[in-house]
Amino acid sequence: MSASTLRRRLHHGDVDGKRKEHFDTSCYGSLSEPLLKIHECDDLPALVMGLTLEDIWNSQQRRQCHHWTLIFSQLMDEWAHWLGSGSLIGRFFPFAGQSRDILHPYFGPLQEERLRKLQQRLGVSFDRSQVVHQDALKLLWRLAYPGRELPSLKSDLWKEMGWQGSDPSTDFRGGGFVSLENLIFFAKMYPDSFQRLLHKKDGTRAKWEYPFAVAGINISFMLLQMLDLQTGKPSTLAGIKFAEFLAGDEMAFDNLYCVAFQMMDAQWLAKRASYMEFNDVLKSTRMELERELARKDVHRVKDLPAYNLLKG
């Protein structure tokens, strides 16, 4: 089996008379990924948005490269401090002495608290048996289609929003409840942009478009990985910059999500992409977002150049 076809498998079974689900993660170790239904028998091509082994390998390579770069920078820092600023090291390695802020970023008490609360949110799975989660889905429908009758929680009408089946709850496996919260936040805070993307109002579109809601789940998961929010303090440069945002914006993750969604759609139109190219568009979106986060003049989400897309 090729790397591009390996996917995490979902198993079902009855335990104590209740339907249970569990994942076979033997191919991926402890890595989590968004698991989206793939309709192999549909007329449409399968929507492949999960990570491949190649993606995971590239991610590990980037992490290792970042790790060794920081170690090397720390050595240069220590040598420059030991030999003095007039040393050859100080002359030929101007970054020496500046790496301490990257290696040991300071997170204030407010950042620490907001980061902890965000990580708690990220750990909540979507549970269709919880009334709060059911109500959140209903709220999303009302925000997306004001004035329309609310369908039941299992209805083909949900497909209009970009869920892959009649039961939206089956599409949350990788994104968790936070991905639904992100969509609701987007609809409330940036309703014009939300409606434009939902109804694909901008640009010339492909015949086979990305499904809006499922794309949103993938964007939530992409941000979680990019910002290194799984455990502890972020250690990637993007994650450290994001922690800076938290000092002035408790909802920085949700605001960044809205920017990322708008960026993805802009990339989609620029590449004239269609259905099966979503993975490539998401990768290029992540790269562009990382570049914007690395800018020295960016200290909050609203400083990102792409934030202006939300106001258009």
Side-chain angles (χ1 to χ4, degrees), residues 266-279:
Q267 291 270 341
W268 180 270
L269 291 174
K271 294 177 180 292
R272 299 174 182 264
S274 63
Y275 205 62
M276 291 294 289
E277 297 170 283
F278 183 87
N279 246 2

Side-chain angles (χ1 to χ4, degrees), residues 18 20 33 89 116 158 247 280 298:
K18 297 181 179 179
K20 300 293 182 182
E33 62 163 324
I89 290 179
R116 183 186 63 79
W158 288 100
D280 292 334
V298 170

